[in-house]
Amino acid sequence: MQRVEIEGGVAVGVDSSASSLRALLVAAEEAKRRDAVLHVVRAWSIRTAPRPEDCPPGAVPSTDQYHETVLADTKRIVRTKLGEDPGIPIEVHVVHSPSPQALLSASRGADLLVVGHRGRGGFAGLMLGSVAEQCVRHAACPVLVVRPSI
């Protein structure tokens, strides 16, 4: 399991779900208000990572290939949502780790952790997703849970 080590700033969990994309926008605004670095954290597993395009059918991509694909996809998401020049410094952290562990490790150095209310997994009827709940219960910094827009 990899860790996310940061010093200060606003950390946000991104997994490409609609909830996490809204959290990304809110976290960027919060980083601007604080004049802080925005740390975009994306945890991945073989099950959740996009498949590398250059890997032939039937072949198994390497962990490095998956990592590079997730990194490129995350940078694309950030650029698409925040634009080419968002006006704040942004660092992207892509880790092969369960989401709660990656976000909790980021919370140890962050001033604020921002998460969506529900990610890609779980049950739609839950008030709070399991990752968000673990962050609220165990994070080492304040946590902002972003609800969907109405």
Side-chain angles (χ1 to χ4, degrees), residues 23-132:
L24 175 62
L25 295 173
V26 169
E29 287 302 315
E30 190 61 37
K32 284 179 189 175
R33 279 189 208 102
R34 295 169 180 249
D35 194 26
V37 175
L38 176 63
H39 295 276
V40 177
V41 179
R42 184 166 178 188
W44 65 274
S45 69
I46 302 278
R47 186 180 61 79
T48 64
R51 183 172 172 81
E53 290 181 15
D54 60 346
C55 188
V60 177
S62 70
T63 302
D64 288 340
Q65 287 174 302
Y66 272 120
H67 181 87
E68 290 304 315
T69 300
V70 173
L71 180 60
D73 187 56
T74 306
K75 288 180 177 180
R76 179 194 55 77
I77 289 168
V78 170
R79 201 171 38 255
T80 300
K81 286 308 213 182
L82 303 181
E84 291 293 331
D85 184 16
I88 52 172
I90 298 175
E91 294 183 18
V92 176
H93 307 269
V94 173
V95 292
H96 185 208
S97 168
S99 297
Q101 286 83 348
L103 294 171
L104 291 173
S105 69
S107 80
R108 291 187 191 105
D111 298 318
L112 176 69
L113 175 62
V114 181
V115 294
H117 82 291
R118 255 187 34 250
R120 294 174 55 189
F123 300 93
L126 293 177
M127 293 298 289
L128 194 64
S130 62
V131 173

